[in-house]
Amino acid sequence: MDIKLDPSRDDLPLMANTSHILVKHYVLDLDVDFESQIIKGTIVLFFESGNRFKKQSGSTKETCRSESNEACRFRTPEPCHSPVTDTTTFSSKTRYNDFTICGKGEKDTSGKDGNHDNQEQASGISSSKYCCDTGNHGSEDFLLVLDCCDLSVLTVEEVDVAAVPGIEKFTRSPKLTAVSEELRNQIVCELVTLPANRWREQLDYYARCSQAPGCGELLFDTDTWSLQIRKTGAQTATAFPHAIRIRYSTKPQGRSVTWTSDQSGRPCVYTMGSPINNRALFPCQEPPVAMSTWQATVRAAASFVVLMSGENSAKPTQLREGCSSWHYYVTMPMPASTFTIAVGSWTEMKPETCSSKDLAAERSLSPSEADFRYVGICGHVEYPCRFQNPSATTQEIIPHRVFAPVCLKGACQETLLPLVPACLSAAHCVLGTHPFSRLDILIVPGNFPSLGMASPHIIFLSQSVLTGTSHLCGTRLCHEIAHAWFGLAIGARDWTEEWLSEGFATHLEDVFWAEAQQLAPYEAQEQQELKACLRWCRLQDEVRNSSEEMQVLRPNKEKTGHVSDSGSSVIKHGLNPEKVFMQVHYLKGYFLLRFLAQRLGDDTYFAFLRKFVHTFHGQLILSQDFLQMLLENIPEEKRLELSVENIFRDWLESSGIPQVEKWIRMNRRPRKRKRRETEEVFEKLLPDQLVLLLEHLLEQKTLNPRTLQSLERTYCLPQQDAEVRHRWCELIVKHKYTKAYKDVERFLQEDQAMGIYLYGELMVSEDAWQQQVARRCFELTKEQMDRSSAQVVAEMLF
């Protein structure tokens, strides 16, 4: 049953059988051990099943692609001595009571998780009766399939939710007597369907149930990509236990978890789901349709700060000497792939002064505290929605915190902190209600392979955005803030349609940033046209240097969004390491939206965008949902032969650059100024103008050392932001400007999020000195480098 895939070219399988049964809530209880580089503990999953998920004749070939007909082998856990069933460990006195006072943490864990080892049970049974199935076929048992990779699963058991004091309120009986599987499932069914105004009670009972004793261990098996669980005699999803506990541990080399050191040399760990989402952090359902909520208790040494995707600004609770506990929760259902955690010696960066506007924003009620007044009907499943909360709709600046290693305190306070309120306010001005009630921002370690990443309630930013002027930091912060609406509050129903997230964020970052700077309309237009010109150059370069199949935004065409009978599917090219570094979804998506905005006019376009957000927040969409609503909401005279089919054909289902009206007007002022003006004027060039100037100079076949030295001195290039320095390093490499090789070495070591392309340029030159620079830098950074980046660079060098 083990699926062998070539990560250099294959699609990423999403194995979970979501058509039969859905996880509605996760409760994680974890310990972070930096010595062993393992996260270990338990996860309790609460399910919902029903006629809309049951498929009696579900196909299994997509989930069980075995080359033989050998039956699935299931481990039978050793009986009766698992610590997960120990009622002292899962006593009603330990964890759940603390949630009722806003997740203050645990009072006592007694260190009873110390025997969580990394050994997997070896015993097992095999029978041809138990084939690899995901539905109900005659007398065969129902098989639950979860997405799982790089995990050591130790035990799986059913949770006796009926043992929780007071749980009878979720049954039809005032007193529980005979407890059956049906009764336990009825309790979970009532719990997961509580109305939104009982969210606090619901989370409290999730926590209580997660601490209930086990009532029977379940048979399970793991392969490369999944965990399969069954209960003997449970032949349908409805009969399968609706609350199960999995005891497991991560592995040090797990692909969803990065163990490293921060810029101050202190150990830390963070999760970045790409390219296999979160399946190496916890067993879960990863298809985007599996929208769930979660709560998590995480223990770590008292010197560490735990940040997570959670609505609450958690504070640590000391459990015993040297150990603290942190608790987070969310009430808005989200795909499990959006869950993020970062544990390290982070320092909170606070501004020296706080404006009255910031204080007003901080005092605004969050959805977890507000009295909900439902104003209109939302299209999503019921949850405490900020769009229905009048106080949230006027909250321009949501509460926010900034964290970083202490050595970056000065750079954060100078560059990042002043930008956050302005960028949040600008986003609210453009799109309205912030979908999330608060925001943490973390400057992640140097091996982070991107300039930024957004998750619910938390943004990761690369240290590269802190150098130079505030321009790169501001634009990237705006990009990640935009993901709160596009990518998180509104997600893609098929993850091959990445442009629905990245294209929108790229387009909106320009709009937010112009608003944050309070630019006049003509200044905003000039800045955005300059950006368009730069992106056009990048897109042309990407099209020239990538395969055609990787340039298509909608590779599944009319089958986009389709899944197998079980609910399993694949992400096209999801395991190709080069895909991580491609920008085609950002750039082609951006140019499509820019084209539509220009065709409709900004007023019409952004009025529609606000309406679209109000209509589809909290939901998953396909491209046609956006395009059909757009065309339905614009005047007939502005459509001008626009149609969903034409846009699909020209923009989303073809490689290369669409042949449409040219919307980029070359801004040649920097070059004219170079001829006419003095050096003093050159020094005032904006970062984007400098990037464009260097792009033009890169087209020159030769530049002599004198010119390069003058260029470096005139613009103080080594002190500019990372985007400018990247082009400067390209010039150094192209023209073999040996005096500045130190700038290239510094960039490769300190700006790993952007340095991959430079390694290629150093090797392509076939210059021994440059190749030596590349290999030396790789040797210095490879142990800390992101795994996908290291793989790509190693292939270049060796």
Side-chain angles (χ1 to χ4, degrees):
M1 189 174 174
D2 200 5
I3 298 177
K4 304 296 184 183
L5 294 173
D6 179 356
S8 67
R9 68 170 188 272
D10 281 310
D11 306 330
L12 174 67
L14 304 178
M15 305 290 282
N17 53 336
T18 54
S19 294
H20 304 301
I21 190 167
L22 281 177
V23 178
K24 302 301 290 183
H25 189 77
Y26 298 94
V27 179
L28 295 100
D29 193 299
L30 303 173
D31 290 280
V32 180
D33 186 344
F34 279 95
E35 288 190 13
S36 62
Q37 295 193 337
I38 285 174
I39 299 174
K40 58 187 177 181
T42 63
I43 182 170
V44 178
L45 295 79
F46 295 87
F47 296 96
E48 179 184 55
S49 67
N51 291 332
R52 63 196 178 106
F53 305 129
K54 265 193 316 185
K55 295 197 176 182
Q56 301 293 335
S57 58
S59 168
T60 63
K61 64 181 180 180
E62 296 86 351
T63 303
C64 304
R65 303 173 195 168
S66 176
E67 294 182 359
S68 68
N69 292 323
E70 181 182 359
C72 299
R73 300 178 60 84
F74 291 89
R75 292 188 184 84
T76 306
E78 297 176 11
C80 301
H81 65 267
S82 170
V84 229
T85 60
D86 185 347
T87 55
T88 59
T89 302
F90 294 97
S91 164
S92 61
K93 296 178 182 179
T94 52
R95 300 184 180 96
Y96 66 82
N97 282 334
D98 300 305
F99 177 76
T100 61
I101 51 172
C102 301
K104 295 292 184 183
E106 306 165 58
K107 302 299 181 188
D108 181 29
T109 60
S110 304
K112 289 190 169 66
D113 293 330
N115 59 348
H116 288 197
D117 56 34
N118 199 31
Q119 295 178 344
E120 298 184 12
Q121 307 279 354
S123 58
I125 61 172
S126 176
S127 168
S128 59
K129 175 181 177 181
Y130 301 116
C131 68
C132 308
D133 206 349
T134 58
N136 175 24
H137 294 262
S139 62
E140 297 164 1
D141 292 335
F142 171 77
L143 187 69
L144 169 69
V145 181
L146 299 175
D147 293 297
C148 175
C149 182
D150 300 337
L151 293 178
S152 294
V153 178
L154 305 176
T155 60
V156 182
E157 66 176 354
E158 181 177 359
V159 178
D160 187 8
V161 294
V164 174
I167 202 68
E168 57 271 8
K169 69 164 63 178
F170 298 108
T171 70
R172 300 183 183 91
S173 304
K175 187 175 181 180
L176 297 181
T177 52
V179 176
S180 64
E181 185 76 67
E182 183 179 358
L183 179 62
R184 284 191 287 265
N185 285 355
Q186 177 194 333
I187 291 170
V188 175
C189 183
E190 293 293 324
L191 179 58
V192 302
T193 55
L194 282 179
N197 60 359
R198 295 173 67 183
W199 68 270
R200 189 178 291 276
E201 177 188 14
Q202 184 183 46
L203 288 180
D204 182 31
Y205 271 95
Y206 276 138
R208 292 169 182 259
C209 289
S210 74
Q211 306 305 322
C215 57
E217 297 190 359
L218 305 177
L219 303 173
F220 71 93
D221 187 34
T222 59
D223 62 25
T224 302
W225 296 110
S226 68
L227 166 64
Q228 309 101 34
I229 305 168
R230 69 173 179 85
K231 179 178 181 179
T232 303
Q235 297 179 0
T236 65
T238 303
F240 188 81
H242 281 29
I244 66 171
R245 180 186 294 117
I246 302 171
R247 178 172 169 256
Y248 76 99
S249 65
T250 65
K251 296 181 180 179
Q253 298 304 313
R255 282 166 279 181
S256 301
V257 185
T258 300
W259 299 87
T260 186
S261 298
D262 67 18
Q263 291 85 343
S264 296
R266 298 176 178 177
C268 61
V269 60
Y270 65 87
T271 63
M272 184 176 180
S274 178
I276 64 163
N277 301 324
N278 265 325
R279 68 185 74 187
L281 177 62
F282 58 91
C284 56
Q285 292 181 328
E286 290 211 319
V289 297
M291 306 269 276
S292 58
T293 52
W294 57 75
Q295 62 200 94
T297 299
V298 178
R299 288 170 296 280
S303 60
F304 292 103
V305 174
V306 177
L307 301 177
M308 193 186 300
S309 305
E311 292 174 20
N312 56 314
S313 297
K315 301 295 182 184
T317 297
Q318 186 169 343
L319 302 175
R320 54 187 182 271
E321 187 176 355
C323 182
S324 295
S325 174
W326 302 70
H327 186 85
Y328 288 88
Y329 62 86
V330 297
T331 59
M332 176 182 176
M334 300 286 295
S337 62
T338 64
F339 180 98
T340 297
I341 183 171
V343 184
S345 301
W346 321 125
T347 300
E348 183 176 358
M349 308 297 172
K350 296 184 179 180
E352 295 180 0
T353 58
C354 190
S355 70
S356 58
K357 189 175 183 180
D358 291 345
L359 289 172
E362 296 285 342
R363 286 195 298 267
S364 298
L365 296 178
S366 74
S368 301
E369 300 167 325
D371 178 24
F372 290 98
R373 303 173 182 85
Y374 294 96
V375 288
I377 300 174
C378 294
H380 53 69
V381 298
E382 190 179 5
Y383 66 82
C385 179
R386 285 176 58 82
F387 287 83
Q388 298 172 343
N389 177 1
S391 65
T393 61
T394 59
Q395 188 179 31
E396 293 182 28
I397 305 170
I398 56 176
H400 53 275
R401 304 182 298 180
V402 175
F403 293 86
V406 67
C407 65
L408 296 177
K409 180 177 180 180
C412 281
Q413 289 182 323
E414 181 180 347
T415 304
L416 177 58
L417 278 175
L419 295 175
V420 181
C423 293
L424 287 171
S425 179
H428 181 273
C429 179
V430 175
L431 291 182
T433 307
H434 287 279
F436 300 100
S437 58
R438 67 170 204 96
L439 177 65
D440 283 340
I441 301 170
L442 173 65
I443 301 297
V444 282
N447 68 342
F448 188 69
S450 168
L451 286 179
M453 184 182 79
S455 298
H457 312 283
I458 185 168
I459 286 173
F460 289 172
L461 288 179
S462 166
Q463 64 180 20
S464 296
V465 305
L466 298 178
T467 57
T469 65
S470 63
H471 178 77
L472 179 60
C473 188
T475 55
R476 195 65 203 193
L477 179 60
C478 286
H479 181 101
E480 303 307 336
I481 288 173
H483 277 311
W485 286 267
F486 291 94
L488 296 176
I490 301 174
R493 188 151 59 88
D494 186 320
W495 281 335
T496 61
E497 294 203 304
E498 293 176 59
W499 82 272
L500 288 170
S501 173
E502 299 300 353
F504 274 95
T506 304
H507 188 225
L508 288 168
E509 78 175 59
D510 294 353
V511 181
F512 289 0
W513 182 230
E515 179 68 27
Q517 297 172 94
Q518 296 292 297
L519 297 182
Y522 77 92
E523 292 176 310
Q525 183 180 3
E526 282 192 350
Q527 186 178 88
Q528 290 169 20
E529 286 184 348
L530 188 55
K531 273 285 192 185
C533 186
L534 290 169
R535 290 176 180 139
W536 183 260
C537 294
R538 292 174 197 169
L539 181 56
Q540 286 178 312
D541 184 66
E542 185 144 305
V543 166
R544 284 192 298 265
N545 294 286
S546 62
S547 62
E548 289 189 4
E549 62 178 2
M550 298 290 283
Q551 301 169 19
V552 179
L553 302 194
R554 201 167 176 264
N556 295 329
K557 298 186 178 180
E558 69 277 359
K559 293 184 179 179
T560 301
H562 289 199
V563 297
S564 71
D565 290 344
S566 72
S568 64
S569 61
V570 297
I571 302 177
K572 199 75 173 171
H573 309 300
L575 290 174
N576 190 326
E578 294 181 13
K579 186 173 183 291
V580 179
F581 308 104
M582 293 190 65
Q583 298 187 56
V584 66
H585 292 85
Y586 296 71
L587 299 176
K588 286 180 71 172
Y590 156 81
F591 278 114
L592 168 58
L593 296 172
R594 179 175 167 84
F595 163 71
L596 293 172
Q598 290 189 332
R599 175 70 67 91
L600 305 179
D602 281 352
D603 291 344
T604 300
Y605 176 76
F606 285 105
F608 161 75
L609 212 55
R610 286 186 286 272
K611 182 177 180 181
F612 179 78
V613 166
H614 188 80
T615 302
F616 281 101
H617 69 274
Q619 300 177 66
L620 302 172
I621 65 169
L622 297 173
S623 294
Q624 54 261 42
D625 297 316
F626 170 73
L627 296 172
Q628 285 170 355
M629 183 174 173
L630 175 72
L631 296 177
E632 289 169 2
N633 281 267
I634 61 176
E636 182 70 35
E637 65 272 13
K638 291 191 175 183
R639 294 184 192 177
L640 300 176
E641 300 182 359
L642 284 179
S643 69
V644 174
E645 293 75 17
N646 289 346
I647 293 173
F648 278 172
R649 184 191 65 234
D650 295 338
W651 290 91
L652 306 182
E653 294 177 358
S654 63
S655 60
I657 300 173
Q659 296 302 312
V660 296
E661 178 183 356
K662 188 175 180 181
W663 14 202
I664 298 177
R665 187 191 70 223
M666 278 286 192
N667 185 340
R668 299 186 179 275
R669 285 189 300 172
R671 292 175 66 177
K672 291 180 180 177
R673 284 182 177 176
K674 184 178 179 182
R675 288 195 297 264
R676 293 196 310 232
E677 313 255 16
T678 65
E679 284 192 7
E680 190 174 345
V681 175
F682 290 159
E683 291 171 2
K684 294 180 181 179
L685 291 182
L686 297 172
D688 281 341
Q689 292 173 313
L690 273 175
V691 171
L692 184 60
L693 175 61
L694 296 178
E695 290 275 6
H696 285 314
L697 292 176
L698 278 165
E699 296 173 3
Q700 303 300 311
K701 290 185 178 181
T702 58
L703 288 176
N704 61 52
R706 238 184 3 264
T707 302
L708 291 167
Q709 184 178 21
S710 177
L711 192 68
E712 176 184 7
R713 186 173 57 250
T714 300
Y715 298 113
C716 302
L717 294 177
Q719 284 74 52
Q720 294 290 341
D721 70 31
E723 290 276 12
V724 176
R725 287 187 288 110
H726 188 277
R727 271 60 175 198
W728 168 233
C729 288
E730 287 184 69
L731 277 173
I732 295 169
V733 173
K734 178 175 180 177
H735 300 291
K736 298 181 174 59
Y737 184 41
T738 57
K739 289 184 178 179
Y741 278 1
K742 63 183 185 300
D743 293 342
V744 177
E745 294 187 28
R746 174 193 162 204
F747 194 92
L748 292 176
Q749 294 176 56
E750 297 182 6
D751 297 277
Q752 294 180 34
M754 304 174 66
I756 303 301
Y757 178 79
L758 281 179
Y759 278 106
E761 292 297 295
L762 287 166
M763 298 306 294
V764 166
S765 69
E766 297 186 355
D767 178 86
W769 200 346
Q770 291 193 357
Q771 292 184 349
Q772 183 181 357
V773 168
R775 293 193 175 100
R776 182 167 62 249
C777 290
F778 184 62
E779 284 300 315
L780 290 171
T781 58
K782 67 180 182 181
E783 295 303 323
Q784 298 294 323
M785 191 178 285
D786 166 73
R787 218 162 283 131
S788 296
S789 303
Q791 179 184 345
V792 172
V793 174
E795 290 175 357
M796 294 177 185
L797 303 187
F798 307 109

